[in-house]
Amino acid sequence: MKKQIKKYRYSIVVLLVLLSAAYYVCLPKTLFNDPYATVLNAENGEMLSARIARDGQWRFPEVDSISDKYEKALLTFEDQYFYSHPGVNPLAMGRAMVQNLKARSVVSGGSTLSMQVIRMYRKGKSRNVYEKLVEMILATRLELRYSKKNILKLYASHAPFGGNTVGIEAASWRYFGRRANDLSWAEAALLAVLPNQPSLLYPGRNTAPLKAKRDRLLDKMYDEGFFDETSLELAKEEPIPSKPNDVPIEALHLLDKGVKDGKEGQRLQTTLDAHLQRRVDRVVKNHNALLRLDGIENASAIVLDVRSNTVKAYIGNVYEEGASSTGQQVDVIQAPRSTGSLLKPILYASLLDEGLMLPKSLLPDVPVYFKNFVPKNFTREYDGAVHADMALSRSLNIPAVHMLQDYGYPRFHEKLKGLGMTTLTQPASHYGLSMILGGSEGTLWDLTNIYAGMVRTLTRFNGRTPEKRYEKSDFEFANYDGTKFKVQGSLLNKKDVSEKQINGNIELKNNKQLSASSIWFTFKAMLEVYRPGDDAQWKLYSSAKKIAWKTGTSFGYRDGWAIGVTPEYVVGVWVGNADGEGRPGLTGIQAAAPILFDIFDVLPETTWFNPPMAEMVYAPVDRQSGYLASPYSIQVDTVLIPKVGLNTMASPFHQRVHLDKTKNYRVNSDCEPVVDMISTNWFVLPPKQALYYKKRNPTYQELPPLRSDCFGESLDMEVMDMVYPEPDAQVYIPINLEGEREQVVFEVAHRKPNSELHWHLDDVYLGTTQGNHVLALTPPAGEHIITVVDEEGHRLLRNFTVLEKVGE
């Protein structure tokens, strides 16, 4: 015998090794490769929406934990000795065998929860003795790999609950509309018994046997001492659900974004505030119901919490299941659209930041003409000259174009990309000056995040030490599911950063951020938005909260925008048609701004910004021009300006003039003794600006004329300027309905409105104008020179070209 054992010892060892190896690898590393539904939860864990798994099952991602009530109900019903057996319960197997023999059919399987997990993993295997043995072997292997808690989670995540509902979380939401952790005793008991016979006990079909089975389990749990008699009676009174509930469809567009971001089949634990999400959604839908009457079908809104840098409400579009509204599937928050005027505050801050102007610097507001670009104010009216902050508050287009000219559109293009604007895919020359008036596209996502970065820069400034006042993290984009987004643009290229860096923090020096002082003055200008003719209307939208806000309207009335900021929140709103159809009345101020203010009304109380005094200084500023005071300034105010503003020029609009004793005429030393002259300072605008300025400002005083006995001008100034055409303009003259060529209107501004001006075209005399210096002509195609001469011999020449056809 010993010799025989010795003879086969090696074979036995090999066999045992092979059996051990087979046992070790008999269970795959991943049991379940089923596709999962994508689930979107609010920050409190409440489900907002979900997308069914690719196989058509409502199978939510595996649960992280099991509620105490469900665990007690499940173990009481299925496997009371779960925590003590090794995956197989011999007593339960023996009892099941006796029951089956007596009934002469399979009435009990005696399977443990571990064996049931194996059965679900093996999918559809027949229930015979061989398969049962396989389940038993795999169940013991399962117990060696997983903890008891993890086995419970596997069971709860993959158990069938009737129809196409799989897993405890999906069942809890579909049958009871709540998380599994919030189930009552009766609900937990119902879901404990349901997988035992999901086809027979499908809710809504066999409620009587389902209720009886649930109640028997409740009685057993009462006997185990899990709750008192009163709780038992109340639990039995709870009704059986008649049918599965529909899955919520809130924040559906954010769910789509999660899928596009590579998170399909996952549970997205977002930063959304469920209560706020619903209130904002209701605000947007209420306004959209009225806007649809005007053919405006779509609207979107986003709320960012600046301090936590998270998304609190996300309405990608007005969405109602089964509604006939077109384009409601489009997530407009992520869709590139013409920005309208939303970039003007960023440009305003950029000029302040570079020391190219002061907050109230006077800017031209007169008609301008470029080769392929003819900007106009929204109202088609002009002020001649307007203070920069007022131009921003009133969203005037002409001053904005002049600001972009001064700043340079290539530099502004790079600035926007650095701050995080991802839609500028073309070179700066592609957009040109039209960039500031909606000639480029942007997304509500990018723009609200850029404004949030500006808010963080300002609010964190005073609480930081000087070397840490500007950090890259200020312009990190918001997250919606706990994922930290990096700065989207090339915000801090090495060549743009000062050499002084401490622990990754930077000093602001030639980098692509905006200074806190420039942002503070920008938000101050945005605080009081004013629209001529609409002031009374806007009192209806007034709010007790201080909100810096800006609207925008794209060309053709295709997009209406509004963005508002406080130290705590940034709110962005878009209205329009997703297909790009324009509609009359589709403007930011009429369609988007009312939604913006109603959203702020449902937000918690907000505060206002503290000035970054370390970057500001009191300086003498000319009241009329907004520039630094010059020796010839008439009224000077000492006001706060950015420190860098001390480098700007003194007022160019004030000059010293000499009058005679009557003060009605200007004189010089050729015609008046110096001792008899009255010297005074005078506010003088260029002729073209003065022409429009005095219409808006009746107190504006033109320079007194030069006395007739005096020779020459005592001031080095323009006497007249051409309103149209601009230098080297290219003009196309269309053909009217009668087949005749239209006329081109030429206009000149002169300091003396009553002066006579003599007009010549290519040395051919045309006529004389007085008072209103306007002349309509129909010059032939080709290059021309128009010459205007006043009665004092001042001459103005302007070259222009008449084209044969457009685009010539």
Side-chain angles (χ1 to χ4, degrees):
M1 186 70 176
K2 291 183 179 180
K3 290 182 179 181
Q4 289 180 332
I5 294 174
K6 188 174 182 179
K7 179 179 179 181
Y8 294 106
R9 183 172 57 186
Y10 178 77
S11 298
I12 293 171
V13 170
V14 172
L15 179 62
L16 290 175
V17 169
L18 291 175
L19 289 174
S20 299
Y23 181 71
Y24 182 81
V25 299
C26 67
L27 202 64
K29 190 171 185 180
T30 302
L31 288 181
F32 298 98
N33 292 309
D34 303 313
Y36 295 106
T38 309
V39 181
L40 188 83
N41 290 341
E43 61 182 347
N44 64 355
E46 181 178 351
M47 185 174 72
L48 296 175
S49 58
R51 173 150 294 147
I52 198 166
R54 290 188 177 184
D55 61 355
Q57 301 293 306
W58 283 114
R59 184 188 301 104
F60 286 8
E62 293 183 353
V63 296
D64 297 324
S65 61
I66 301 292
S67 70
D68 183 64
K69 289 180 180 178
Y70 177 69
E71 180 179 338
K72 285 181 169 61
L74 179 63
L75 296 185
T76 301
F77 181 73
E78 289 282 4
D79 195 348
Q80 286 182 289
Y81 301 100
F82 175 73
Y83 282 104
S84 58
H85 64 64
V88 178
N89 187 343
L91 294 177
M93 294 295 294
R95 183 173 62 251
M97 188 178 299
V98 172
Q99 292 175 348
N100 294 337
L101 288 173
K102 287 182 178 180
R104 295 184 179 180
S105 64
V106 179
V107 295
S108 176
S111 296
T112 64
L113 282 176
S114 301
M115 293 172 65
Q116 292 185 50
V117 170
I118 295 300
R119 187 182 307 137
M120 288 186 288
Y121 143 65
R122 299 183 73 220
K123 286 185 173 54
K125 296 292 183 180
S126 60
R127 299 181 67 177
N128 54 42
V129 174
Y130 170 76
E131 296 298 342
K132 182 69 69 174
L133 289 173
V134 173
E135 286 177 11
M136 293 169 65
I137 293 170
L138 293 178
T140 59
R141 181 68 184 91
L142 182 73
E143 293 272 348
L144 292 175
R145 177 182 294 178
Y146 295 99
S147 68
K148 290 288 188 180
K149 286 292 185 183
N150 283 335
I151 293 173
L152 273 178
K153 288 189 283 187
L154 284 172
Y155 174 86
S157 298
H158 296 276
F161 285 90
N164 64 344
T165 302
V166 179
I168 183 65
E169 279 295 327
S172 297
W173 281 110
R174 297 208 71 202
Y175 295 141
F176 304 113
R178 60 174 63 93
R179 296 177 299 176
N181 288 337
D182 299 328
L183 293 174
S184 66
W185 283 113
E187 292 165 346
L190 178 67
L191 295 183
V193 303
L194 191 54
N196 185 251
Q197 291 177 296
S199 59
L200 175 65
L201 302 178
Y202 186 75
R205 295 179 186 172
N206 299 287
T207 57
L210 180 58
K211 185 178 187 303
K213 199 162 191 175
R214 180 202 69 178
D215 290 351
R216 284 196 298 272
L217 175 58
L218 288 172
D219 287 334
K220 191 173 182 180
M221 295 176 70
Y222 167 73
D223 293 338
E224 295 288 339
F226 291 134
F227 41 73
D228 58 28
E229 186 175 359
T230 301
S231 298
L232 173 64
E233 295 302 321
L234 290 174
K236 287 185 176 182
E237 291 298 320
E238 291 188 27
I240 302 296
S242 59
K243 63 177 182 177
N245 299 313
D246 292 330
V247 172
I249 54 172
E250 300 175 83
L252 192 61
H253 296 90
L254 186 58
L255 178 67
D256 291 338
K257 175 174 170 55
V259 171
K260 291 177 182 177
D261 289 344
K263 298 168 184 175
E264 183 178 7
Q266 299 180 29
R267 182 179 286 104
L268 304 180
Q269 184 62 44
T270 72
T271 61
L272 295 183
D273 182 319
H275 178 65
L276 181 63
Q277 173 75 20
R278 294 189 182 102
R279 296 191 70 181
V280 172
D281 185 60
R282 180 49 50 197
V283 167
V284 175
K285 284 181 177 176
N286 287 343
H287 282 274
N288 182 251
L290 298 175
L291 292 170
R292 284 181 182 174
L293 300 177
D294 295 325
I296 303 170
E297 297 286 339
N298 307 115
S300 62
I302 185 171
V303 178
L304 302 182
D305 185 315
V306 177
R307 292 173 177 173
S308 63
N309 199 18
T310 55
V311 181
K312 290 302 176 186
Y314 191 104
I315 314 298
N317 204 334
V318 175
Y319 183 85
E320 295 183 36
E321 197 168 23
S324 60
S325 176
T326 58
Q328 64 177 4
Q329 298 286 353
V330 178
D331 181 358
V332 188
I333 291 177
Q334 304 297 332
R337 310 287 299 200
S338 170
T339 57
S341 297
L342 287 189
L343 302 181
K344 289 177 181 176
I346 303 172
L347 176 60
Y348 178 87
S350 298
L351 270 84
L352 294 179
D353 188 41
E354 299 282 346
L356 297 177
M357 72 176 190
L358 295 182
K360 289 186 172 294
S361 291
L362 209 57
L363 301 174
D365 184 27
V366 294
V368 291
Y369 305 88
F370 300 94
K371 183 176 180 179
N372 296 312
F373 179 48
V374 183
K376 290 179 171 57
N377 288 333
F378 185 79
T379 61
R380 299 297 193 271
E381 298 177 348
Y382 306 93
D383 284 18
V386 64
H387 294 293
D389 60 347
M390 185 58 69
L392 178 59
S393 296
R394 294 171 54 190
S395 198
L396 298 177
N397 291 338
I398 302 300
V401 172
H402 281 288
M403 284 194 288
L404 187 54
Q405 270 188 309
D406 292 341
Y407 191 76
Y409 61 79
R411 182 156 53 146
F412 189 56
H413 178 268
E414 189 64 23
K415 168 75 77 174
L416 292 173
K417 290 175 66 177
L419 292 175
M421 196 163 169
T422 59
T423 51
L424 298 176
T425 57
Q426 300 295 327
S429 58
H430 175 80
Y431 308 104
L433 294 174
S434 69
M435 186 190 312
I436 198 61
L437 303 183
S440 61
E441 291 185 328
T443 65
L444 194 58
W445 176 257
D446 284 356
L447 291 168
T448 51
N449 274 284
I450 290 173
Y451 277 95
M454 295 168 67
V455 173
R456 273 189 296 276
T457 299
L458 180 54
T459 55
R460 295 176 178 177
F461 180 88
N462 288 327
R464 290 171 170 167
T465 56
E467 67 273 10
K468 293 185 178 181
R469 280 177 175 153
Y470 294 95
E471 296 185 2
K472 187 177 180 179
S473 60
D474 289 344
F475 276 86
E476 285 182 348
F477 275 25
N479 73 84
Y480 63 92
D481 64 348
T483 303
K484 290 293 183 182
F485 287 89
K486 296 180 180 179
V487 179
Q488 300 295 298
S490 54
L491 182 63
L492 298 174
N493 295 332
K494 290 182 179 179
K495 64 181 181 180
D496 297 314
V497 183
S498 66
E499 294 181 0
K500 187 174 182 181
Q501 300 194 24
I502 301 177
N503 297 326
N505 300 304
I506 66 163
E507 284 188 331
L508 183 68
K509 182 179 179 182
N510 298 324
N511 65 46
K512 291 181 172 58
Q513 277 182 274
L514 296 166
S515 67
S517 59
S518 68
I519 295 170
W520 188 85
F521 281 105
T522 300
F523 289 167
K524 186 172 182 290
M526 293 167 61
L527 183 61
E528 296 294 339
V529 173
Y530 167 74
R531 296 290 185 274
D534 292 331
D535 189 46
Q537 172 188 348
W538 274 99
K539 291 179 180 178
L540 299 175
Y541 304 129
S542 63
S543 172
K545 300 176 181 178
K546 296 181 74 173
I547 303 167
W549 59 289
K550 183 74 187 73
T551 61
T553 304
S554 67
F555 178 78
Y557 302 100
R558 294 182 175 91
D559 307 272
W561 303 81
I563 288 182
V565 305
T566 68
E568 293 80 17
Y569 297 100
V570 173
V571 176
V573 175
W574 175 92
V575 294
N577 291 306
D579 61 4
E581 180 186 1
R583 301 294 298 178
L586 177 48
T587 65
I589 196 164
Q590 292 179 340
I595 301 176
L596 177 84
F597 283 103
D598 281 353
I599 291 175
F600 268 108
D601 282 343
V602 303
L603 290 175
E605 286 300 316
T606 56
T607 59
W608 187 242
F609 302 96
N610 294 317
M613 296 302 297
E615 281 189 354
M616 301 163 72
V617 64
Y618 282 97
V621 173
D622 184 275
R623 182 181 298 178
Q624 290 173 295
S625 72
Y627 285 75
L628 291 177
S630 78
Y632 306 125
S633 292
I634 301 170
Q635 295 174 302
V636 176
D637 297 321
T638 301
V639 297
L640 277 172
I641 64 169
K643 281 184 178 179
V644 69
L646 294 173
N647 299 323
T648 59
M649 64 185 297
S651 174
F653 300 110
H654 288 82
Q655 301 189 36
R656 192 76 166 168
V657 299
H658 307 288
L659 308 176
D660 64 8
K661 291 181 179 180
T662 67
K663 297 184 180 180
N664 293 323
Y665 296 97
R666 284 182 289 120
V667 294
N668 54 42
S669 58
D670 292 335
C671 58
E672 186 80 4
V674 175
V675 294
D676 293 333
M677 294 181 187
I678 299 176
S679 298
T680 187
N681 298 332
W682 210 278
F683 177 54
V684 183
L685 289 172
K688 190 173 178 179
Q689 295 181 35
L691 176 68
Y692 291 90
Y693 187 81
K694 60 190 177 184
K695 295 177 183 178
R696 295 278 188 179
N697 300 271
T699 58
Y700 177 74
Q701 293 182 322
E702 289 277 9
L703 274 173
L706 192 66
R707 206 168 66 190
S708 59
D709 58 333
C710 298
F711 298 96
E713 284 288 345
S714 60
L715 295 174
D716 182 17
M717 66 177 76
E718 292 181 285
V719 175
M720 57 180 168
D721 193 9
M722 187 77 71
V723 176
Y724 185 81
E726 293 287 317
D728 301 315
Q730 293 183 329
V731 180
Y732 170 70
I733 303 178
I735 305 298
N736 61 25
L737 294 177
E738 287 74 28
E740 299 176 349
R741 300 178 72 218
E742 297 282 0
Q743 292 184 313
V744 180
V745 178
F746 294 80
E747 184 176 4
V748 169
H750 197 285
R751 291 199 180 280
K752 299 178 183 179
N754 293 324
S755 294
E756 287 188 353
L757 301 187
H758 306 284
W759 297 69
H760 301 76
L761 181 64
D762 302 328
D763 295 329
V764 176
Y765 177 70
L766 299 175
T768 301
T769 58
Q770 186 174 14
N772 186 24
H773 301 299
V774 175
L775 197 66
L777 304 173
T778 309
E783 296 182 354
H784 300 279
I785 299 176
I786 190 163
T787 306
V788 183
V789 183
D790 70 3
E791 55 197 2
E792 296 179 0
H794 298 109
R795 184 179 297 265
L796 175 65
L797 288 84
R798 184 60 49 88
N799 297 312
F800 68 96
T801 302
V802 177
L803 304 176
E804 284 282 359
K805 55 185 177 180
V806 177
E808 187 178 60

